[in-house]
């Protein structure tokens, strides 16, 4: 068996859940899941029960993470119309500013035009942070609105979890105009449709925000990913417990760190929509680091390029212990991950010590 060595992956969109939702995930289990999936760098999202919307909350998060992480982790800060005064202090310590706009959910959501314009005007707080984007959770017309604001204010925006052909067409047009717009797609929007979320199929385990779309959207996303309109893959790793998913009000979100590489690598081997291994490495390793200004990659991982396997709900490192891709096939089993010269994962075991990961920024 000959192994293949690849540069380690980076995921710009994960919910590590600490502090406040350690029943779903914590800094140790989430970063273990990352290593098992070939990732050595993650960007964490601010939508904790006590959201990351103040300098104090950011410091608390950084201190908690520092003793637990086994791969490198950076943070995004939560935008609200009333925390603009915090931006100057936190800008050096984050990857970007995350804005939850319009019809999503949770305490971080806002959507009035005046409020959104205030956030665009206030970020970045100084020209030296102009490389740090505003990350946008938005769908439909709101995507058009933020692209318009990015152009008017000359701001860098990154659109999270693109799910629809119409949104992709907006991004294509914005890029053709030279606007500073990048975007990501999540594996669940590439490999699943709304039909997979039917009762009797995934049911509540197929509920996420944005929702799963139809096969026309899925085909368009594949085309966008391969042609370059979509800059990168982000898992939007959003673990929730099985009990929560099976409750009367199942929360939105699915885990993704341990399944993304196998799904994409298998698709590249099949040349799905023309995907190549080189393009896979661009969208899963190089582009996230470049767009978010992460340090040069200090990791690599070894796979068995021929081995196909079936995803299951057993043996996962994520605390939620399930995957929406159970029963689907992956390829290229990850045998070893190295970070800064040390073997941090090997044959199903995490070898890195808690706290050996670095805080980015
Ligand atoms: C995310 C979560 O659970 O935190 N859920 C999701 O469905 N994507 C929140 C988010 O990214 O919108
Ligand atoms: Zn989101
Ligand atoms: Zn959401
Ligand atoms: Zn998310």
């Amino acid at each position: 068996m000959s192994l293949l060595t690849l540069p380690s992956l980076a995921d710009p969109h994960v919910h590590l859940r600490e502090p406040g939702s350690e029943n779903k995930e914590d800094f140790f289990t989430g970063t273990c899941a990352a290593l098992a999936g070939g990732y050595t760098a993650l960007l964490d999202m601010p939508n904790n029960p006590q959201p990351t919307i103040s300098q104090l909350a950011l410091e608390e998060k950084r201190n908690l993470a520092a003793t637990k992480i086994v791969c490198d982790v950076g943070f995004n800060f939560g935008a609200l119309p009333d925390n603009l005064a915090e931006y100057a202090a936190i800008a050096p310590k984050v990857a970007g500013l995350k804005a939850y706009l319009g019809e999503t959910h949770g305490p971080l959501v806002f959507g009035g035009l005046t409020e959104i314009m205030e956030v665009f005007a206030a970020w970045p707080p100084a020209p030296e942070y102009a490389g740090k984007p505003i990350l946008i959770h938005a769908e439909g017309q709101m995507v058009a609105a933020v692209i318009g604001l990015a152009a008017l204010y000359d701001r860098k925006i990154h659109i999270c979890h693109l799910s629809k052909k119409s949104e992709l067409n907006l991004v294509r047009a914005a890029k053709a105009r030279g606007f500073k717009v990048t975007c990501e797609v999540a594996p669940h929007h590439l490999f699943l449709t709304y039909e997979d979320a039917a009762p009797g199929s995934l049911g509540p385990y197929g509920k996420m925000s944005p929702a799963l779309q139809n096969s026309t959207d899925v085909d368009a996303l594949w085309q966008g990913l391969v042609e370059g309109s979509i800059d990168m893959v982000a898992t939007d790793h959003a673990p929730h417990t099985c009990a929560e998913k099976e409750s009367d009000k199942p929360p939105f979100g699915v885990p993704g760190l341990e399944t993304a590489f196998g799904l994409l690598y298998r698709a590249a081997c099949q040349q799905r929509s023309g995907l190549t291994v080189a393009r896979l490495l661009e969208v899963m390793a190089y582009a996230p680091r470049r767009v978010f200004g992460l340090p040069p990659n200090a990791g690599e991982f070894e796979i068995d390029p021929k081995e196909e396997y079936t995803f299951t709900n057993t043996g996962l490192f994520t605390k939620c212990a399930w995957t929406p891709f159970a029963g689907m096939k992956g390829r290229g089993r990850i045998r070893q991950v190295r970070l800064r010269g040390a073997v941090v994962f090997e044959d199903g075991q995490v070898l890195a010590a808690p706290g050996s990961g670095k805080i980015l920024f």
Side-chain angles (χ1 to χ4, degrees):
M1 167 182 60
S2 71
L3 299 180
L4 179 64
T5 302
L6 301 172
S8 65
L9 311 177
D11 190 343
H13 189 152
V14 300
H15 300 266
L16 295 176
R17 304 296 193 206
E18 197 172 347
S21 300
E22 293 85 352
N23 61 319
K24 303 174 198 274
E25 196 78 284
D26 61 47
F27 281 125
F28 179 68
T29 57
T31 53
C32 284
L35 292 182
Y39 290 92
T40 60
L42 309 175
L43 295 180
D44 179 57
M45 286 299 176
N47 67 330
N48 301 73
Q50 304 275 358
T52 317
I53 52 174
S54 66
Q55 203 184 338
L56 202 68
L58 180 64
E59 280 309 318
E60 187 196 355
K61 227 182 194 190
R62 290 167 65 94
N63 291 336
L64 279 170
T67 62
K68 299 184 178 180
I69 54 178
V70 292
C71 74
D72 298 349
V73 177
F75 297 99
N76 289 305
F77 194 71
L80 282 176
D82 62 7
N83 72 348
L84 312 178
E86 303 275 332
Y87 297 175
I90 59 86
K93 296 182 169 183
V94 299
L97 181 74
K98 176 77 186 276
Y100 292 84
L101 302 178
E103 302 165 55
T104 161
H105 47 86
L108 280 177
V109 178
F110 63 104
L113 183 56
T114 307
E115 288 77 18
I116 299 173
M117 287 170 68
E118 278 166 8
V119 168
F120 269 78
W123 187 271
E128 59 265 37
Y129 306 119
K132 301 194 175 193
I134 305 175
L135 294 85
I136 307 286
H137 177 120
E139 291 185 59
Q141 280 97 324
M142 189 62 91
V143 173
V146 293
I147 288 172
L149 291 173
L152 284 173
Y153 285 86
D154 189 26
R155 292 306 198 256
K156 190 169 164 183
I157 62 168
H158 175 79
I159 300 171
C160 296
H161 42 48
L162 210 71
S163 69
K164 298 186 198 71
K165 183 178 181 176
S166 55
E167 297 164 354
L168 173 62
N169 284 335
L170 286 169
V171 170
R172 279 197 183 108
K175 288 187 168 195
R177 285 283 190 135
F179 300 162
K180 296 169 184 158
V181 177
T182 56
C183 70
E184 66 186 35
V185 66
H188 43 269
H189 293 127
L190 290 171
F191 289 93
L192 302 171
T193 70
Y194 72 93
E195 291 177 34
D196 294 301
S201 206
L202 284 170
Y205 294 95
K207 252 188 100 172
M208 72 287 283
S209 171
L212 296 173
Q213 307 293 328
N214 62 39
S215 59
T216 304
D217 293 304
V218 170
D219 291 347
L221 294 176
W222 276 100
Q223 201 191 334
L225 184 69
V226 171
E227 81 190 9
S229 316
I230 295 178
D231 299 270
M232 65 189 79
V233 169
T235 65
D236 193 9
H237 179 81
H240 297 285
T241 66
C242 291
E244 292 165 333
K245 280 295 199 183
E246 287 169 21
S247 71
D248 292 341
K249 260 193 132 256
F252 296 91
V254 297
L257 282 168
E258 290 166 88
T259 44
F261 176 77
L263 288 168
L264 268 295
Y265 186 72
R266 182 161 182 267
C269 292
Q270 296 170 335
Q271 297 182 296
R272 180 166 177 177
S273 297
L275 182 69
T276 61
V277 174
R279 180 71 191 150
L280 178 156
L281 294 175
E282 163 64 13
V283 299
M284 297 186 85
Y286 300 119
R289 289 185 171 89
R290 191 173 64 240
V291 168
F292 291 97
L294 306 191
N297 190 1
E300 53 191 9
F301 66 117
E302 260 176 24
I303 64 164
D304 178 347
K306 297 239 158 58
E307 188 180 346
E308 290 224 357
Y309 50 93
T310 302
F311 295 114
T312 69
N313 291 322
T314 53
L316 295 167
F317 285 89
T318 177
K319 204 183 274 186
C320 75
W322 61 274
T323 166
F325 304 108
M328 293 178 61
K329 281 202 166 118
R331 179 164 169 163
R333 189 175 304 274
I334 296 169
R335 305 299 304 274
Q336 190 187 77
V337 183
R338 295 186 288 271
L339 180 57
R340 288 179 280 275
V343 177
V344 287
F345 177 91
E346 190 163 44
D347 293 329
Q349 301 271 85
V350 171
L351 303 177
S356 58
K358 283 206 163 112
I359 305 276
L360 302 172
F361 307 101

